[in-house]
Amino acid sequence: MAHLQQETLESIFPGHSEMAQRMRAHDWAATPLGDPLLWPDGLKIPLRMLLTSRFEMWLGWGDDLRFFYNDAYIPTLGLKHGGALGQPFHQVWAEVYADVADQVAHVRAGEATWNKALLLLLERSGYPEETYHSFSYSPLYDGPGRVGGMLCVVSEETERVIGERRLETLRGLGMRLVGVGSRDEVRRALCDVFEDNPYDFPFVLLALDHGGETEMLACSAAAVPLADHRWPDGLLPAEHAVCFALDPEHDWPRGGWSVAPCEAMALPVPGIGDQPPFGTLIFALNPHRRGDPEIADFARLIAGQLSGALANVSALDAERRRADRIWSHSRDLIIVVDADSVFRAVTPSWTTILGHAPEDVVGRRFADFVVPEDLAGSLAALAKALGEADLTGYESRFRTIDGGFRWLSWHTAMEDGLVYAYGRDITDQKNNAAALAAAEDALRQAQKMEAVGQLTGGIAHDFNNLLTGIIGSLELMRRKAARGLTADVERYAEAATVSAERAAALTQRLLAFSRRQPLDPKLVEPAALIAGMADLIHQSVSETIRVRLDPPADRWVTRCDPHQLESAVLNLVINARDAMPGGGDLSIIVGAIAIGPGDAPIDQPAAPGDYVTIAVRDTGHGMTADVADKVFEPFFTTKAIGAGTGLGLSMIYGFARQSAGFVTIETMVGAGTTVTLCLPRASGEAAATGRRQDADFGRATRGGRIVVVEDEASVRAVIVDALQEAGYEVLEAIDGPSGLALLRDIGHVDLLLTDVGLPGLDGRKLAEAGRAIDPSLRILFVTGYAHRATGDDEWLMPGMAMLTKPFAVDGLVERVRLMLERDRPRLD
């Protein structure tokens, strides 16, 4: 039976810790709690948790909260360990129970409490000791809605709190001692710091040596009477740290405590090198931290800071004595000027730098020596130095005795209504800087010409190839026509058309690179757009390349031109394919990132915010760093001659910048390449995406009257012929004024088709005038360079559209048909 009882006690008090063994051995039957075998689960379960936890914990149970605690809590109890087990909580911590009694009442009512670094004066070491604890009180239930006890999880933070307080004291003293210029300022800094921290040292005195005499300085108002106190013999001056008892009959200042200190420490403030100490510090010791092993080191750090400050004061005194010698031998100008710009004093260096003797300068004004163009600025700078702030690096020109001038850089300080300034001759630096700026301008011009040469050379190369195809095909067509042969005309026309379309594509890439390409931005969901390109992507790569499309977790949208985005992705896919001739892995990953200030590339600044990312990653041969630095330049290519134009990545760069985004590249030789396109996230729902299909461009289903305004005769003839062939009534004008005359004279017009860049009256102003005549007038702009002509496309109003040159005839007719068949817009 005894063995069974022992096993049961071990289940209630589990483990081999000291407190588990003490609890199993305790006579609980002699307490109001009774036999542990009969205790409720509301007590036994938290007891098991307490005894198996390494966190400091105690719990109280019953009406008087009988005390249980674990091994981790033993250091907090100190001398009370052992005797506290099973005792009422209010007896265990009688000295602080009043501080937490209201919290105990809250817990009995079923409400948990929390304390952060609470000051508790615990008598765990034989006296009220300063301690800080973070702890929570939580109710323990003995049945539904009935609180039977409480659980405390505690963490002692005494060392942290006191350590941070002392560190802040040292930091504050150091900051206050910066720049002090006298012993009185040193004492004031010490007083300010210990007014903020009256706990470690209830009072502080500083005894300074003055030529064999001791000056006692009190660092708080309460300590002033101690300046005349008679201290133990041999204490002043102190040669090393000494602790001594304070007379308990004396009414000592108490600082931040309610009881007076009973001990004090005296230690010297070290002198410079082997010099004697500057004096002695007397610190009253905290009555609630007896035997503190770190207090002496803390006091020495304070003494060390004071020593450095007093050394600086001594050095400053010595500097003042040397000031006259510095004045006489300074190579820089040192001057004193009053509020009327009159020189009160100047150093002899004025003669060396400007040629005038000092006696010929003193008593005269700025205007006699400053270059006239700089006089107004110099007088304004003097006014600022007298009132607002010291000058730093203010530059002005002073005349020399031979009629020239020298550049001087001035630094000032103001005292007693006078400006003290020193000026450094920077004429040589100015001349060197001007020469360097001229050289940099020449270098930048050379670099611009090199870039222009590369750009024009690339354009000439590609356009000459394309023009050869167009001109050659037309020449052969003309020869065949002269001989009455028509068999190969279709083939030659097709060849000329293909070359012209390639030329149009080249101009679009150039516009994209320069961020001048007309775009048609829409809300686009990149993940859906790329999913719709899956077949095209697989068809564009070889069978040896494994393609992976990673759908994103967040289906974000962006506002951009979806066709340009398709083109950009396809370009990157083809580049990745060409980088893996032997096969590999190609991944297209759509994701999202948040861009903070300065996160975007330096050469592609972007506004902070959320961005959609489209990354194309390959496992190809990669690139070196110098090659990667050039990949966004136009006509730069790593491919063989004829294998690429070098405009693909530059087009993607321009598209990203024009869409308010940016593009990055990560690459390493042998480790593949990742190009990431980042576009700003937009709100709204993207329209359905899909590949464009060829339209059935037939004859117009209904007629209409169209005014065509185009200054280029050949272009105007093509447009007029195409629209007339489609069944429209077309009237034409060669410039803006004649177009406006037509709109005024002919009556109703269904559509105005106008070039943007017209002589006399541009297309945009013509459209505004036409809308003034007929607010419902539909308008189709055609242009080869929309951005330069208009600045942007946001000015397009309802019932207006833009068509970019070059365009297919069928595409023009279809755009006109769609605009005329659409319901007439309601224009308010």
Side-chain angles (χ1 to χ4, degrees), residues 85-103:
L85 183 62
Q87 299 301 311
F89 171 42
H90 66 87
Q91 293 181 10
V92 174
W93 290 122
E95 66 271 22
V96 295
Y97 186 78
D99 297 331
V100 298
D102 59 334
Q103 297 189 43

Side-chain angles (χ1 to χ4, degrees), residues 20 46 142 150 217 394 398 405 426 434 469 493 518 603 614 679 721 793:
D142 183 15
M150 73 177 187
L217 304 173
Y394 175 75
F398 274 62
F405 67 85
I426 58 170
D603 62 334
I614 304 101
L679 301 174
D721 289 349
D793 297 339

Side-chain angles (χ1 to χ4, degrees), residues 15 91 318 424 601 653 690 703 741 778 805:
Q91 293 181 10
R424 175 155 295 178
Y653 175 93
R778 300 177 181 87
K805 301 175 184 176

Side-chain angles (χ1 to χ4, degrees), residues 459-633:
I459 295 173
H461 172 271
D462 282 8
F463 262 103
N464 284 338
N465 286 338
L466 298 171
L467 290 174
T468 299
I470 297 171
I471 295 170
S473 297
L474 294 175
E475 178 66 22
L476 289 173
M477 291 169 64
R478 186 165 53 248
R479 291 183 182 182
K480 292 282 187 178
R483 294 160 55 191
L485 302 176
T486 60
D488 294 325
V489 170
E490 181 64 28
R491 180 164 59 88
Y492 296 142
E494 178 65 22
T497 300
V498 169
S499 294
E501 289 175 347
R502 289 178 59 200
L506 178 59
T507 61
Q508 291 300 310
R509 290 186 178 189
L510 288 170
L511 289 172
F513 164 73
S514 62
R515 289 178 279 161
R516 294 297 184 270
Q517 181 184 26
L519 298 180
D520 185 14
K522 296 181 175 64
L523 286 177
V524 178
E525 183 183 326
L529 181 141
I530 292 172
M533 296 176 62
D535 291 341
L536 178 60
I537 292 170
H538 283 89
Q539 293 168 9
S540 301
V541 300
S542 64
E543 296 179 354
T544 60
I545 294 177
R546 293 174 295 276
V547 178
R548 188 184 73 184
L549 305 179
D550 285 357
D554 298 315
R555 310 285 288 199
W556 284 5
V557 299
T558 185
R559 180 174 291 278
C560 71
D561 188 320
H563 305 309
Q564 293 299 324
L565 179 57
E566 287 181 359
S567 177
V569 172
L570 191 57
N571 256 305
L572 294 177
V573 168
I574 293 171
N575 283 351
R577 177 200 66 191
D578 294 343
M580 300 184 290
D585 294 322
L586 169 64
S587 301
I588 303 178
I589 306 160
V590 180
I593 59 172
I595 295 296
D599 289 346
I602 296 176
D603 62 334
Q604 304 177 68
D610 293 332
Y611 284 73
V612 182
T613 62
I614 304 101
V616 178
R617 179 178 302 155
D618 66 61
T619 56
H621 46 64
M623 291 175 276
T624 60
D626 59 329
V627 171
D629 288 340
K630 300 177 181 178
V631 294
F632 294 125
E633 297 178 5

Side-chain angles (χ1 to χ4, degrees), residues 315-353:
L316 186 60
D317 290 340
E319 287 297 323
R320 293 190 182 102
R321 291 191 296 270
R322 289 195 294 268
D324 289 341
R325 293 196 298 273
I326 293 174
W327 179 272
S328 300
H329 296 90
S330 172
R331 294 184 179 181
D332 293 329
L333 282 178
I334 303 177
I335 63 174
V336 181
V337 185
D338 65 19
D340 295 324
S341 79
V342 174
F343 292 100
R344 295 289 191 89
V346 300
T347 53
S349 55
W350 188 292
T351 304
T352 304
I353 296 173

Side-chain angles (χ1 to χ4, degrees), residues 17 49 294 330 382:
S17 66
M49 178 182 70
E294 299 177 353
S330 172
L382 175 62

Side-chain angles (χ1 to χ4, degrees), residues 273-435:
D274 57 356
Q275 296 298 311
F278 286 107
T280 302
L281 274 168
I282 298 177
F283 295 109
L285 300 183
N286 182 353
H288 297 297
R289 292 283 293 178
R290 301 178 188 177
D292 188 337
E294 299 177 353
I295 195 65
D297 291 337
F298 179 43
R300 289 189 185 95
L301 290 173
I302 294 171
Q305 286 186 312
L306 290 178
S307 173
L310 291 170
N312 289 337
V313 170
S314 297
L316 186 60
D317 290 340
E319 287 297 323
R320 293 190 182 102
R321 291 191 296 270
R322 289 195 294 268
D324 289 341
R325 293 196 298 273
I326 293 174
W327 179 272
S328 300
H329 296 90
S330 172
R331 294 184 179 181
D332 293 329
L333 282 178
I334 303 177
I335 63 174
V336 181
V337 185
D338 65 19
D340 295 324
S341 79
V342 174
F343 292 100
R344 295 289 191 89
V346 300
T347 53
S349 55
W350 188 292
T351 304
T352 304
I353 296 173
L354 298 173
H356 312 96
E359 56 270 23
D360 295 333
V361 178
V362 174
R364 298 171 64 181
R365 298 177 182 273
F366 266 17
D368 295 332
F369 300 97
V370 176
V371 171
E373 294 80 1
D374 293 355
L375 180 59
S378 297
L379 292 174
L382 175 62
K384 180 178 180 181
L386 283 163
E388 299 178 11
D390 296 340
L391 301 180
T392 301
Y394 175 75
E395 298 176 359
S396 60
R397 292 172 293 176
F398 274 62
R399 292 186 292 175
T400 61
I401 196 169
D402 59 5
F405 67 85
R406 305 292 291 179
W407 278 99
L408 298 173
S409 176
W410 294 100
H411 301 261
T412 70
M414 195 270 287
E415 185 177 350
D416 296 332
L418 297 175
V419 172
Y420 296 80
Y422 76 87
R424 175 155 295 178
D425 184 359
I426 58 170
T427 307
D428 292 341
Q429 294 93 312
K430 282 281 189 180
N431 294 337
N432 292 339

